């Protein structure tokens, strides 16, 4: 049925050039998603399968999934690792007028037997920070974590605003700042335990959030993930971190600026 | 990788027997969906593709899609009509604790050239009743309607509540009451124009809705689709209609019962 396809020049015409604003929107959708729609190929027959999945992100933005072996999408991914994930919730009005991001990639299962031990600890920590209730089943023997290697993405910012994206358009670059992987857990624990007021100031001053018990759930070179109950907010740094040494002064500076802007004492 | 698959007896164990409550939940999810996540096979390479689509239902419950030829999912469906649709929005808390329905089927494009004229009129009417803002683009030459023939479905009512369903578990049976297809448009127009008060009473008395300008957007042998802005409600008849002659007395009876229960005069 190739003759039915739109001519390439037409398809090209509808794509916008990827700019900083489009990249920011795509990253915001990815970093803010608590769940997504997962498309896989059914294990038997290869038909498309659409299912819901809980979502978190690894530090670079790679999606983290937690699935049960008993589920159809796990069986699908075991047979063919290719998958696509849709994120971005529609708000009021026409559901197609709201931005959404489709990711394409390969899901890699994280071994439970210890060969991926450090990776599993990190993915579990980041997933549970976003989904505290998953504590109830995360260690069940039929559950496993998956990390999705993004191959490409498609951003739809609303009618007539489609963008074809490369992995680097949606993911953070950890080159040169891999040490952040080692300090993240400690910084998050410290901030939530000892500087909960600063975390709440971040959310209110920079993310238009209401007051509440905001928690830091993730940090990466480009920003902070904040959460209060079901509300998720993303704070973007003005410039990405170049070294872990920049992190502490930045967090202090942001807290001071947040206090100032809120008129807090 | 078949050795990785769960043993059939395990998979079986997790499926619940399909009962009336499960059927009702599946139908409620389908009839109430304003949008869904569509899984298709990419035209080039057959990789899974997850996209958002606006949704309405035909009278029997078959999903209606409206897509642009320029979109990747249209290209996918033109190359392979197999698709899967996920409906059911997560509410508060763990997104996986909320019920959702995965439909599997084949999408059939509705010809714009007149050979499907009556079908197109009906699908367009039902789609626009649910998505009034689609009027802006429904007649653009690159847009077409699709009707999805459901082959099977999978209901996930929350943890441990999975059901494998046949088409008849989620669709309404129009056998013997095909005449409803001919009278639906007139009844809806009449109810909305002359009995808007009754429609609002239906929503408030039987669907826990707040007062508002509720409109009737669809009717079928099993119930009514009601809408006010972005809010969608489903009213289920106690027993399905057996003939179109039963419709008018039923609507009158329901209006009287609704008035009574609301203490209206």
């Amino acid at each position: 049925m190739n003759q039915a396809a739109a001519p390439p020049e037409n398809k090209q015409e509808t794509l916008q050039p990827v700019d900083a604003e489009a990249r920011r929107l795509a990253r915001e959708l990815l970093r803010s998603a608590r769940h997504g729609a997962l498309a896989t190929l059914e294990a038997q027959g290869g038909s498309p399968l659409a299912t819901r999945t809980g979502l978190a992100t690894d530090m670079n933005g790679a999606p983290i999934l937690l699935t049960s072996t008993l589920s159809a999408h796990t069986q699908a991914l075991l047979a063919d690792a290719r998958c696509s994930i849709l994120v971005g919730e529609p708000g009021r009005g026409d559901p197609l007028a709201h931005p959404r991001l489709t990711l394409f990639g390969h899901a890699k299962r994280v071994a439970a037997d210890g060969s991926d031990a450090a990776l599993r600890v990190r993915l579990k920590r980041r997933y549970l920070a976003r989904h505290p209730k998953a504590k109830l089943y995360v260690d069940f023997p039929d559950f496993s974590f998956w990390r999705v290697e993004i191959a490409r993405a498609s951003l739809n910012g609303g009618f007539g605003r489609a963008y074809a994206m490369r992995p680097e358009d949606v993911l953070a670059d950890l080159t040169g700042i891999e040490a952040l992987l080692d300090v993240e857990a400690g910084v998050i624990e410290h901030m939530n335990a000892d500087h909960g007021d600063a975390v709440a100031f971040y959310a209110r001053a920079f993310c238009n959030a209401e007051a509440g018990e905001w928690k830091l759930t993730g940090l990466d070179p480009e920003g902070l993930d904040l959460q209060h109950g079901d509300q998720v907010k993303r704070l973007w740094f003005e410039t990405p971190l170049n070294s872990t040494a920049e992190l502490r002064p930045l967090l202090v500076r942001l807290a001071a600026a947040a206090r100032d802007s809120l008129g807090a004492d």
Side-chain angles (χ1 to χ4, degrees), chain A residues 154-196:
Chain A
S154 169
L155 172 68
N156 190 321
F159 293 108
R161 295 204 296 134
Y163 304 83
M165 293 187 155
R166 299 159 305 170
E168 56 266 38
D169 292 322
V170 295
L171 297 178
D173 186 359
L174 301 189
T175 310
I177 191 167
E178 295 84 354
L180 202 57
L181 293 166
D182 301 322
V183 305
E184 185 196 17
V187 172
I188 287 177
E189 203 180 321
H190 170 63
M191 290 299 293
N192 287 330
D194 303 328
H195 301 289

Side-chain angles (χ1 to χ4, degrees), chain A residues 109-184:
Chain A
R109 194 182 196 176
V110 179
D113 67 4
S115 57
D116 285 334
L119 177 63
R120 188 174 189 282
V121 166
R122 184 172 84 232
L123 300 190
K124 178 177 170 181
R125 178 174 57 71
R126 283 192 139 255
Y127 192 91
L128 288 180
R130 173 130 302 179
H131 301 281
K133 287 178 184 157
K135 270 197 292 281
L136 296 172
Y137 50 89
V138 65
D139 289 320
F140 284 3
D142 59 306
F143 274 80
S144 353
F145 283 104
W146 300 75
R147 187 176 186 278
V148 179
E149 296 286 337
I150 296 180
R152 59 201 158 88
S154 169
L155 172 68
N156 190 321
F159 293 108
R161 295 204 296 134
Y163 304 83
M165 293 187 155
R166 299 159 305 170
E168 56 266 38
D169 292 322
V170 295
L171 297 178
D173 186 359
L174 301 189
T175 310
I177 191 167
E178 295 84 354
L180 202 57
L181 293 166
D182 301 322
V183 305
E184 185 196 17

Side-chain angles (χ1 to χ4, degrees), chain A residues 2 17 33 36 61 71 88 120 127 143 173 193 212 221 224 238 265:
Chain A
N2 280 334
S71 67
R120 188 174 189 282
Y127 192 91
F143 274 80
D173 186 359
L224 305 178
E238 273 192 18
D265 59 344

